[in-house]
Every structure is written in structure tokens, then in C-alpha cells.
């Protein structure tokens, strides 16, 4: 006779791991109160809701999970929750708290010898450096994260770092390098079947192509990215694709179309309460 242990969070855990965040949150919402009070429920919910663009609730749940794990003496849980809480702080514009949180998660990862979390922390610190316009530091963090992701065999993480590296190249006007980074990210994302990463890669590639002068192909790539992002309910990717479409139409001289795309991007960014996204769209509208 085989003993089957009850694991009410199995489906949500698998959905988060597989990148199916709406499915994960739907599974979590229907759990009984006793399960909803556990730190794992809080952490899984924080992870799912961050990906769905609900950054305030995500941060709050991650902080609750962190404190609960800390009381239990569960260093691994505390580390993972600290990282998600810091990501929430960053999305909400609290850069100082984000840096502190990523640093705390990094110290715990070093204590545990967790190379996967070290990779994630390096990638997140690269994001902070990038938004502070410290491009050399950002590239250093991203390359470190990429090497660690390669070492632990997480192809999704490798693709994410290629996307981030491509964004740095874009800002440095190294458009050929940005396009190449997007191609590498897209190849991995398609191989591992991660639609969210496919959307991000297509949007970045489309922007690089448009800025290089190929407006029709760039527009087509970004329109496809927007379609995939909508299917996946990835609101951040939607905002980025809409912002890029507005930029492409501006370059094409179609200012009314550019304003329509930008207005749609602003509506989503404002609804998410994501200061970085709002600022980027406002910059392009100006």
C-alpha cells in the first residue's frame, strides 16, 4: 500500500515553476484558510502576483512570508521571500529598500551555498544598476548571473540575462549587439517554451530593428510580442511592447497612432502603479 501525503499547494507550486502565473494564483485563491496562513502560500502568492503586475500585494505577502520563515528558523524560505519582497520594492520605486533586500538575500544565499539564488540576486542587482544608469555595473552583474545560471542549468535564467544585456546595449546605442542578444534569448525561450520570455525577446528585437531603420519588420516583431504578452497576462511586457510601438509610429511620422499606443501603455502602467514603466512611457510621450 502506497502512502499518499496531502499536498494542497502542489498544483500552485508546479504552475509557478512552469511560468503559468494566472493558473497558480487561481489555485492559491481557492485554498482553505489554514493553508492560506502558511508561509509557502504567502510566498507562492507573492511570486504569482508579481508576475501578474500586482506589485503592492506581492510585496506585502512576501514580507509576511519572510517574517514567518524567519520565526521558524527556515533560512531557505527567508532567503526566497526576501528576494521576492525586494523585487516588489523595486517595482514600486523603492530603490533603497530593493538594494538592501537583494543584499540580504545574497548574504543568505552565500550562507547556504545556493548558486541559483546567487544568480537571481546578481540579476536583480543588475536591474537596479541599469535603472540607475550604471551600465558597466549592470553588465557585470548580468554576466555573473548568466554564468551562474549556466552552471546550475537554468535556461530560463540564461534567457532573462540575455534580454537584460540587450537592453543595456540598446541604451548604449549598440543596436547590432542588442539584436544579437534578443536572438539568443528568443532561441532559448522558444526551445524551453516560455511565452513570456518569447514576448520580451520579440519586443527587444523589434525595437533594435526599428532603431536601426527597419520600421516594418520592427513593427511586426513588436506587434507579435504584444499579442503573446496579452495572452499571458504579462502586463509589464504589454507596456513595453505598447511603448515601443508608439516609438516606431513616431519614427514613421504617424503621431496620432503613436499617441494612441502611448496612451494605452500609460493606462496599464498607471493601473499597475509601476513608477519605472510610467516614467519610461512619459519620457517617450514627451
Amino acid at each position: 500500500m502506497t502512502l499518499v501525503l496531502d499536498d494542497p499547494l502542489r498544483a500552485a507550486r508546479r504552475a509557478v515553476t512552469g511560468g503559468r502565473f494566472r493558473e497558480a494564483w487561481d489555485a492559491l485563491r481557492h485554498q482553505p484558510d489554514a493553508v492560506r496562513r502558511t508561509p509557502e502560500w504567502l510566498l507562492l502568492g507573492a511570486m504569482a502576483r508579481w508576475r501578474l503586475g500586482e506589485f503592492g500585494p506581492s510585496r506585502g505577502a512576501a514580507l509576511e512570508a519572510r517574517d514567518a520563515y524567519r520565526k521558524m528558523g527556515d533560512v531557505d524560505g527567508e532567503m526566497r521571500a526576501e528576494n521576492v519582497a525586494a523585487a516588489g520594492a523595486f517595482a514600486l520605486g523603492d530603490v533603497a529598500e530593493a538594494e538592501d533586500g537583494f543584499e540580504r538575500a545574497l548574504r543568505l544565499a552565500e550562507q547556504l551555498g545556493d548558486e541559483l539564488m546567487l544568480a537571481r540576486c546578481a540579476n536583480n542587482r543588475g536591474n537596479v544598476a541599469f535603472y540607475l544608469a550604471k551600465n558597466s555595473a549592470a553588465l557585470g552583474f548580468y554576466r555573473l548571473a548568466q554564468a551562474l545560471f549556466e552552471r546550475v542549468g537554468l535556461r530560463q535564467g540564461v534567457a532573462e540575462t540575455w534580454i537584460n544585456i540587450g537592453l543595456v546595449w540598446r541604451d548604449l546605442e549598440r543596436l547590432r549587439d542588442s539584436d544579437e542578444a534578443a536572438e539568443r534569448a528568443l532561441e532559448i525561450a522558444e526551445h524551453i517554451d516560455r511565452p513570456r520570455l518569447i514576448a520580451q525577446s520579440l519586443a527587444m528585437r523589434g525595437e533594435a530593428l526599428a532603431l536601426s531603420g527597419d520600421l516594418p519588420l520592427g513593427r511586426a516583431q513588436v506587434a507579435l510580442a504584444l499579442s503573446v504578452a496579452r495572452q499571458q497576462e504579462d502586463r509589464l511586457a504589454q507596456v513595453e511592447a505598447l511603448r515601443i510601438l508608439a516609438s516606431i509610429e513616431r519614427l514613421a511620422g504617424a503621431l496620432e497612432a503613436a499617441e494612441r499606443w502611448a496612451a494605452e501603455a500609460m493606462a496599464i502602467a498607471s493601473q499597475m502603479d509601476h513608477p519605472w514603466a510610467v516614467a519610461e512611457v512619459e519620457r517617450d510621450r514627451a
Side-chain angles (χ1 to χ4, degrees):
M1 181 177 178
T2 302
L3 178 63
V4 179
L5 299 177
D6 183 35
D7 183 0
L9 295 176
R10 181 188 296 120
R13 195 183 304 116
R14 288 178 174 174
V16 167
T17 302
R20 303 184 305 277
F21 299 106
R22 173 57 63 188
E23 178 184 328
W25 180 235
D26 286 343
L28 289 165
R29 287 191 301 115
H30 294 98
Q31 293 297 326
D33 287 345
V35 176
R36 293 164 66 95
R37 289 193 293 269
T38 63
E40 186 179 12
W41 186 94
L42 290 165
L43 179 55
L44 289 171
M47 295 167 73
R49 299 185 82 177
W50 196 99
R51 293 292 186 174
L52 293 171
E54 300 175 17
F55 304 114
S58 170
R59 182 188 189 185
L63 289 172
E64 282 190 65
R66 181 199 66 184
D67 293 345
Y69 279 126
R70 187 177 290 165
K71 286 183 180 178
M72 295 165 56
D74 186 336
V75 179
D76 179 73
E78 179 186 350
M79 170 189 69
R80 291 182 292 122
E82 188 78 78
N83 187 60
V84 177
F90 183 57
L92 293 168
D94 192 342
V95 179
E97 176 55 32
E99 284 188 295
D100 289 345
F102 291 140
E103 183 61 33
R104 288 192 293 269
L106 178 65
R107 288 197 298 269
L108 293 172
E110 290 172 339
Q111 177 183 329
L112 294 174
D114 188 327
E115 289 194 333
L116 177 56
M117 184 55 70
L118 288 172
R120 286 175 172 154
C121 289
N123 189 54
N124 286 331
R125 293 179 74 188
N127 291 339
V128 173
F130 174 67
Y131 281 103
L132 293 175
K134 299 177 180 179
N135 290 319
S136 294
L139 282 173
F141 283 126
Y142 290 146
R143 285 171 173 151
L144 172 60
Q146 191 170 77
L148 290 168
F149 280 132
E150 288 276 15
R151 186 183 301 173
V152 299
L154 188 67
R155 299 295 288 158
Q156 175 183 336
V158 176
E160 289 174 355
T161 53
W162 274 122
I163 291 169
N164 291 335
I165 288 169
L167 292 174
V168 177
W169 290 143
R170 178 204 65 190
D171 276 17
L172 293 174
E173 299 184 355
R174 292 177 54 169
L175 300 179
R176 182 174 297 179
D177 289 330
S178 182
D179 184 38
E180 182 179 338
E183 286 280 9
R184 294 191 180 191
L186 183 60
E187 180 181 356
I188 296 170
E190 290 178 336
H191 181 71
I192 62 177
D193 191 25
R194 288 302 176 100
R196 286 170 171 264
L197 290 176
I198 290 172
Q200 293 170 36
S201 304
L202 286 169
M204 187 175 72
R205 184 168 190 267
E207 184 172 31
L209 289 167
L211 291 173
S212 298
D214 194 337
L215 297 184
L217 182 54
R219 183 187 291 112
Q221 294 276 287
V222 181
L224 180 56
L226 178 59
S227 176
V228 176
R230 282 173 170 161
Q231 291 171 12
Q232 295 297 309
E233 296 187 64
D234 187 338
R235 294 197 289 172
L236 266 181
Q238 288 176 52
V239 171
E240 182 67 357
L242 289 163
R243 182 193 66 77
I244 296 170
L245 284 172
S247 178
I248 291 173
E249 296 304 342
R250 178 178 57 80
L251 291 171
L255 299 184
E256 289 186 6
E259 176 57 28
R260 286 197 300 272
W261 289 124
E264 188 175 348
M266 180 58 67
I268 298 172
S270 299
Q271 185 182 38
M272 289 191 300
D273 192 23
H274 193 293
W276 300 116
V278 169
E280 285 191 316
V281 177
E282 287 284 28
R283 177 197 63 197
D284 285 4
R285 292 180 80 182

